Structure formats: C-alpha cells, structure tokens
Amino acid sequence: MKNKTITGLFMCLMLFVSIDTFAQLNTPRGSQQATVSQRIGVSDVSITYSRPSVNNREIWGKLVPYGMNNLGFGTATAAPWRAGANENTTITFSHDAKVEGKSIKAGTYGLHLEVKADNTATLILSKDADAWGSYFYDKKNDALRATITTTSVPHHELLTYAFNDIKANSATASLAWEKRAFPFEVSFDVTNIVLDDFRQKAKGQTGFQRQNWEQAANFALNNGGDLNEALGWIDKAISGQFFSQKTFNNMAIKAQLLNKLGKTEEFEVALDEAASMANSNQLNRMGYQMLNLKDNDRAMKYFKKAVEIDPENPNVYDSLGEAYKTIGDKKKAIKNFKKALSMNPPANVKANSEKNLKELGAL
C-alpha cells in the first residue's frame, strides 16, 4: 500500500514537471507585433514587425547605431538594424515586384536597414527571413540592396510602418520612428501580372466564357497591353468559338483596338457594325467619341440614329443639340435643346440644355 502511494505521488510530480517543462504561457510582448498590408493593382505587399517605443531614449546613432555593427550575439560581426524589434522584420510580395526600381522575386524577405548619419540608409532585403533580428545576418543572403533618403516627420512614439502615395502601379512604404522616416517605393508590373493570370486561366474554365475574353482585351487596350494579342482575344469573343457571340460591346472594343493599331478602314467598318447593335445611350457615347476624333459626319449619323430609335428620350435631343453646337449649326442646336426642355427632362439634362441655350443667347 505504501509503495502504491509513493508511486502515485511520483507520477503526479512527474505530471507537474512535464507541464512546467513544456507549457509556455502566452504573455504580452513589450514591443507589440503588427502587420500592415497594401494592395497594388492585384498584388499584395505586407510588412510584419514589432513596435518598440521611443520611451525618452536617444534613437539614432545610439539605440540604433549608425553603419554595420557587431551586436555581441549570433554569428554576424557586421550587422544592420533589424528595422523593428524582436525577430526579423519581414516583407512579403505576392508577385514579382520592384523595390526602389530594383527587381525582387515574389516571396518573403528579412527587412533590414543600415542607418547612416547623413540622412541616407541602405535598405537590405535578405533571403534569410526566419532569423532572429539581424544577429545572424549574412551578406551572402542579400536579395536586394538600395540606397534610400530619410526624411523628417512629426514624432512617432511607436515604430510604425505605413503605405502612402498609392498609385495604380506603386506605393511608398515607410518606416517612421521618433522624428525620422525611411521611405521606399514598391511597384508591380500590374498589366503583365493581370494578363499573365488571364493567359493561364484561359486554358481552363475561364476560357469558356465570352465575357472573360472581352474583359481581357479591354484591359489590354486601356492599360498598355499587346494590342495585337488583344485583337486576337476579342476576335475569339466575336466568332469561331462555341462561346462566341457578336455584341455591341465586343465590336466596340474591336473598333477601339483597330483605331489604336492605326487600321483606319477596319476601324470604321467595325464601328459602324457596333452602331448597328447599339441603344440610344451607346450611340450617344459613340457620337461624342467621333466628335473628339473630328469625324463630324459619323458623329451626326450616330446622334441622329439615337433620336430615331428613342424619340421619347429628352437626352438624345440634348446630345444632338451639343453635336450641332460643336459643328457650328446654331439654329439646329437651339431647336434640339428646346425640344429636350419641352419633354420634362431629368434635372441633369435640363441643366445642360439651359446652360447651352444661355451660351447660344437663346435663353
């Protein structure tokens, strides 16, 4: 009986020792962890870091020494700043990108800074993203180095990363701490990323829908894609495939592609074919496009057809009035603006007709 009691107590003791040895209580950090992300086009860039406080300390040149330093721990004898606290600050790119104009492959990298006293710094992205801080930094693992210029900012008690100056293809990432900021540009080749994605997906179910070919061709048209490739895509949407169907939309896209390619005669044929399938609003838009291209005859043809197919719509008379005003036919312009006003038009149409009549001295 005594032995059983001792054995039981021993097992209980071992249980407590095991729990004490392997369990780790999740307690708050002194420098809280954060992640900031930004979408650029269809690509994402994110930075994960820990946020130390200034806490009345002298930061630059003291807490964060200038240059490369032996930190007294790990294997690095010349280490940059880890650009945060605790483990590695990391930056992740969902697609191949450029940082300060230099190419970087998609993936996750350790983010370090060699801070200098002359308001510059070297941004270092390391392939070793899993190390603890910069203690094991090895220059051989550098994926990118770029010289950046620091700026003065209002006081930031907590180290903060943010994305600013957001554009269609780029954004400026910036570390701000105390009264100093470290900005660097991240950019993606958005057009090729989008179109490469379509090229891959078009081999599967995405390629079985006409609208996807139209969308890809239109995106290429308006975003610097390969126009000849886009013309092939829109032709697939129009005819020759089981999903093909000729519509106003795809014929209008084809016409714009032909125009950009300088194929004037083919452009005009495609445009007229699109017009034959257009409703009044679409015809109006085409009319304004022709006015911008100085093709006044075709513009008037489209505006008049809009009136013909939708004679109870005051907007078509307002648009026809603008067309006549543009080509210098004051009398017919006034007639159509007054016709629009006589039809109890929506507020925006009424305001436009009245404005033009005032300019023409008829109101």
Side-chain angles (χ1 to χ4, degrees):
M1 186 71 177
K2 184 177 180 181
N3 287 340
K4 288 182 179 180
T5 301
I6 292 172
T7 300
L9 289 170
F10 178 75
M11 292 301 292
C12 288
L13 180 61
M14 287 304 294
L15 177 63
F16 284 118
V17 169
S18 177
I19 291 172
D20 185 60
T21 301
F22 296 106
Q24 293 186 4
L25 185 62
N26 187 17
T27 57
R29 297 180 175 205
S31 297
Q32 300 280 15
Q33 194 175 62
T35 297
V36 60
S37 299
Q38 178 62 48
R39 174 151 290 190
I40 302 170
V42 296
S43 304
D44 295 311
V45 55
S46 61
I47 299 171
T48 298
Y49 65 107
S50 293
R51 308 185 66 187
S53 299
V54 174
N55 198 24
N56 295 317
R57 295 175 291 184
E58 186 175 351
I59 304 299
W60 310 116
K62 294 295 182 180
L63 183 65
V64 177
Y66 295 129
M68 304 289 279
N69 296 274
N70 188 334
L71 304 176
F73 178 76
T75 58
T77 57
W81 178 43
R82 55 186 153 180
N86 301 327
E87 63 269 54
N88 238 348
T89 297
T90 60
I91 185 167
T92 300
F93 308 97
S94 63
H95 295 89
D96 293 354
K98 286 188 176 181
V99 175
E100 287 294 297
K102 296 184 177 184
S103 297
I104 188 81
K105 291 290 185 183
T108 299
Y109 300 87
L111 193 163
H112 308 274
L113 286 166
E114 180 188 354
V115 183
K116 300 174 183 178
D118 63 352
N119 294 324
T120 66
T122 300
L123 173 70
I124 302 169
L125 302 188
S126 172
K127 297 173 187 175
D128 189 0
D130 298 322
W132 184 270
S134 299
Y135 298 110
F136 299 90
Y137 169 76
D138 188 337
K139 187 175 181 178
K140 291 186 297 185
N141 292 326
D142 286 0
L144 181 145
R145 279 178 163 249
T147 299
I148 61 175
T149 301
T150 66
T151 61
S152 297
V153 294
H155 181 81
H156 284 65
E157 178 64 22
L158 286 172
L159 188 150
T160 301
Y161 280 91
F163 289 95
N164 304 295
D165 194 21
I166 312 300
K167 298 177 181 176
N169 298 301
S170 67
T172 299
S174 184
L175 179 160
W177 197 29
E178 199 250 358
K179 293 183 179 180
R180 198 169 184 182
F182 299 76
F184 56 95
E185 184 187 69
V186 177
S187 62
F188 292 93
D189 186 351
V190 175
T191 295
N192 279 327
I193 289 170
V194 170
L195 297 181
D196 280 344
D197 182 61
F198 173 73
R199 292 181 188 109
Q200 292 300 314
K201 289 180 177 177
K203 299 173 185 176
Q205 290 185 351
T206 295
F208 298 160
Q209 294 185 355
R210 167 180 56 82
Q211 292 87 346
N212 292 332
W213 295 93
E214 294 171 354
Q215 185 179 11
N218 193 53
F219 183 85
L221 167 68
N222 293 298
N223 294 278
D226 185 323
L227 297 180
N228 285 299
E229 182 180 40
L231 188 60
W233 290 344
I234 204 64
D235 280 340
K236 279 191 175 183
I238 292 169
S239 64
Q241 308 295 319
F242 72 88
F243 53 77
S244 302
Q245 180 186 353
K246 186 181 290 187
T247 67
F248 166 79
N249 187 52
N250 53 39
M251 286 305 301
I253 293 170
K254 180 172 182 175
Q256 292 177 73
L257 285 165
L258 291 167
N259 186 41
K260 273 198 172 183
L261 286 166
K263 299 182 178 184
T264 305
E265 290 184 8
E266 294 176 66
F267 160 64
E268 292 175 351
V269 170
L271 201 63
D272 286 342
E273 193 164 359
S276 72
M277 296 179 278
N279 61 35
S280 61
N281 289 332
Q282 291 164 338
L283 283 164
N284 273 354
R285 289 199 297 271
M286 293 176 71
Y288 286 118
Q289 181 186 9
M290 291 301 98
L291 287 177
N292 289 332
L293 293 175
K294 308 301 181 184
D295 188 346
N296 294 339
D297 290 342
R298 189 170 265 104
M300 295 306 302
K301 174 180 164 183
Y302 295 159
F303 284 123
K304 288 177 180 178
K305 185 177 179 183
V307 172
E308 179 185 331
I309 67 173
D310 196 8
E312 302 302 317
N313 181 354
N315 186 55
V316 298
Y317 296 98
D318 178 75
S319 296
L320 183 57
E322 285 194 312
Y324 277 123
K325 180 184 175 188
T326 300
I327 66 174
D329 192 330
K330 179 177 178 180
K331 183 177 179 180
K332 288 183 179 178
I334 291 170
K335 177 182 176 181
N336 280 279
F337 286 130
K338 287 186 174 180
K339 175 67 174 177
L341 289 175
S342 73
M343 300 175 73
N344 191 27
N348 62 319
V349 175
K350 180 181 179 181
N352 190 64
S353 290
E354 289 177 343
K355 169 181 169 291
N356 280 284
L357 285 171
K358 287 178 181 178
E359 290 175 357
L360 292 166
L363 189 67

